[in-house]
Amino acid sequence: MVERGRGNLPAEFTSMIGHAAEVAEGLRALARTRLLAVTGPGGVGKSRVAVRVARHARRRFPGGTWYAELSAVTGEPALTARVAAAIGRPQARTAEGIAAALRERRALVVLDTCEHLTGPVARLAEVLLRRAPHVKIVVTGRQPPDLAGQRVLYVRPLQEADAVTLFAERAAAVDPDFSLSGGGTRAAVAEICRSLDGLPLAIELAAACLRSLTAPELRDRLRDRCPLPAAGTTSTLPRQRDLRATVEWSHALCGTEQRALWAALSVVDGGFARDTAEAIGVEAGLPRVRVAAVLGDLVAGSVVLREQAGYRLLRPYRQVGLELLEARARRRLTARYGAATAAPVPAPGGGPEAGDVVLSPRELQVARLITEGLTNLEIAGRLVISKRTVDAHVRNILAKGHLASRTHVAAWVASSD
């Protein structure tokens, strides 16, 4: 469905929660530039922000606000054909033809999902900006095109309060009786949102799971690193119906070096400094002189977030990276860097430094399987015991070692092997 009138912006079927600051910033930037690049990690809401900016700005563009979704487009001819069709001039099959159709019009063109077409989109945008002087362009993608004069609007994950509100609204849509007020539900939802790093797509998928799970049950699944099922959105795009597909789309756009560093960095649970990334990259086999550039590529591609204190991989990206990291390399890197931002952890064999911590034989089995990246459910199947028993063993291991996460358990065990 599209809005009637001068343009074809897609209609919004659900409310947009959060990102008001980014929309306001985008409107200010659009008044000062002819090319606005909206970027950020997959699932963060770039398309929603770009469309909302275009909708609020459409009075400035009597020549129309035109939208083209490009995720399924491959190659320059298909790109120009899609954009020509979007502006209602399908006969204008070249960039020059599109520019000619828009030359006398004060129009806004939104090119959505461009990260796999950065070269063709940059060339199209350059022609439009040069030959259609009243046209402005908004592009979205995990990596903006390389064009002089563009302004970049970075869309970050939601703050916890907005994330909880989004979850509650989407959960109520699938379960009218849902409420944040009952039986620890608010705390469970807050933990769910934190575990999904405030990514709106992930939160919407998680909320849809309340058709069959309670919020505490969903929280426990995510603690065990069980994937979210593909469900819950009205999007026609597969990569927006499945969180893993969204992350794997980013992975497919990376080169060999970027994938290697992504996988290696995934052992770090939390933020890390540049020198830590350099050390991890070298140990993963990258030349030292290349690590900074490859890390920059991952930041530019919105895989790694740049923060005040350093860098961070979002947890859904960490999970995919860990799965792709070879088991021996994962154990080695986890032992050295898994607790890179935490206090050193003791060895499970006991001793004065360890506070005389000793794991039972079964607990040690469970801990060693955690180092292999197995979930509690997978560990239960391997040891032929119930998942509830594994849950209890994991709680005991964390308590005995004064550990904060499964990553710390892996580092704890690997350091003593």
Side-chain angles (χ1 to χ4, degrees):
M1 179 183 295
V2 297
E3 293 182 339
R4 297 193 178 277
R6 195 173 290 274
N8 68 336
L9 291 179
E12 295 183 338
F13 294 95
T14 58
S15 61
M16 188 176 78
I17 294 171
H19 295 323
E22 287 97 330
V23 171
E25 183 182 345
L27 286 166
R28 289 192 295 270
L30 195 59
R32 298 179 175 89
T33 186
R34 294 184 61 205
L35 177 60
L36 175 65
V38 182
T39 188
V44 81
K46 299 180 293 295
S47 299
R48 292 292 298 268
V49 168
V51 170
R52 182 63 64 91
V53 168
R55 181 167 289 111
H56 286 330
R58 64 183 183 273
R59 292 180 181 274
R60 307 179 194 171
F61 299 100
T65 49
W66 307 101
Y67 172 86
E69 203 286 321
L70 305 175
S71 65
V73 171
T74 56
E76 204 148 352
L79 166 65
T80 52
R82 176 65 59 87
V83 176
I87 67 170
R89 297 293 181 89
Q91 69 277 12
R93 289 304 199 105
T94 65
E96 289 75 11
I98 295 170
L102 296 173
R103 182 172 294 125
E104 303 302 325
R105 298 163 69 177
R106 188 175 300 278
L108 177 65
V109 178
V110 180
L111 305 177
D112 189 19
T113 314
C114 301
E115 54 263 15
H116 60 304
L117 294 166
T118 52
V121 164
R123 289 189 288 274
L124 172 62
E126 188 174 15
V127 171
L128 290 181
L129 295 174
R130 186 175 66 250
R131 299 194 178 188
H134 306 298
V135 166
K136 294 193 176 187
I137 303 170
V138 175
V139 300
T140 79
R142 299 172 206 189
Q143 184 164 350
D146 185 17
L147 282 174
Q150 71 179 354
R151 288 186 176 237
V152 176
L153 174 64
Y154 192 83
V155 181
R156 300 191 69 84
L158 297 177
Q159 296 295 318
E160 185 172 307
D162 286 333
V164 169
T165 300
L166 175 63
F167 185 100
E169 181 173 300
R170 301 301 191 258
V174 300
D175 177 8
D177 295 326
F178 176 81
S179 171
L180 287 171
S181 60
T185 299
R186 181 178 289 276
V189 169
E191 185 174 337
I192 289 166
C193 294
R194 286 193 297 271
S195 73
L196 298 172
D197 273 314
L199 288 174
L201 173 60
I203 291 166
E204 293 195 359
L205 291 169
C209 295
L210 267 62
R211 291 187 178 97
S212 56
L213 297 171
T214 66
E217 287 170 342
L218 176 58
R219 174 200 59 202
D220 292 343
R221 281 177 58 91
L222 292 173
R223 281 177 176 173
D224 291 341
R225 297 193 290 119
C226 294
L228 290 171
T233 76
T234 57
S235 174
T236 58
L237 305 176
R239 64 183 177 80
Q240 292 181 353
R241 297 196 301 266
D242 182 344
L243 179 60
R244 185 178 183 87
T246 296
V247 178
E248 288 179 344
W249 169 274
S250 290
H251 192 264
L253 294 173
C254 290
T256 302
E257 290 182 320
Q258 288 78 30
R259 293 175 185 177
L261 186 58
W262 175 348
L265 291 173
S266 65
V267 302
V268 182
D269 188 5
F272 52 88
R274 179 181 287 270
D275 57 352
T276 300
E278 182 173 300
I280 291 174
V282 170
E283 190 153 343
L286 293 176
R288 186 176 296 274
V289 295
R290 287 288 302 150
V291 176
V294 175
L295 178 63
D297 291 340
L298 292 177
V299 172
S302 302
V303 173
V304 172
L305 297 189
R306 182 75 172 90
E307 299 183 323
Q308 284 188 338
Y311 302 87
R312 182 167 63 93
L313 267 174
L314 295 175
R315 293 181 194 181
Y317 287 70
R318 277 196 66 229
Q319 182 168 335
V320 168
L322 283 171
E323 292 172 5
L324 296 172
L325 190 61
E326 188 270 330
R328 183 179 300 177
R330 182 169 64 239
R331 288 194 294 270
R332 185 183 73 251
L333 290 169
T334 298
R336 186 167 297 183
Y337 303 106
T341 60
V345 294
E353 292 83 6
D356 296 322
V357 174
V358 179
L359 300 184
S360 71
R362 181 63 90 185
E363 289 166 351
L364 192 53
Q365 280 183 303
V366 171
R368 283 175 174 156
L369 291 174
I370 288 174
T371 70
E372 296 181 19
L374 273 63
T375 67
N376 285 10
L377 187 61
E378 291 167 335
I379 292 170
R382 180 78 66 88
L383 298 179
V384 196
I385 57 179
S386 72
K387 178 180 175 296
R388 183 174 297 180
T389 300
V390 176
D391 294 342
H393 286 317
V394 172
R395 287 194 297 270
N396 289 342
I397 294 165
L398 293 171
K400 285 183 176 182
H402 303 288
L403 304 173
S405 71
R406 296 167 68 91
T407 301
H408 292 173
V409 172
W412 191 37
V413 174
S415 64
S416 68
D417 287 345

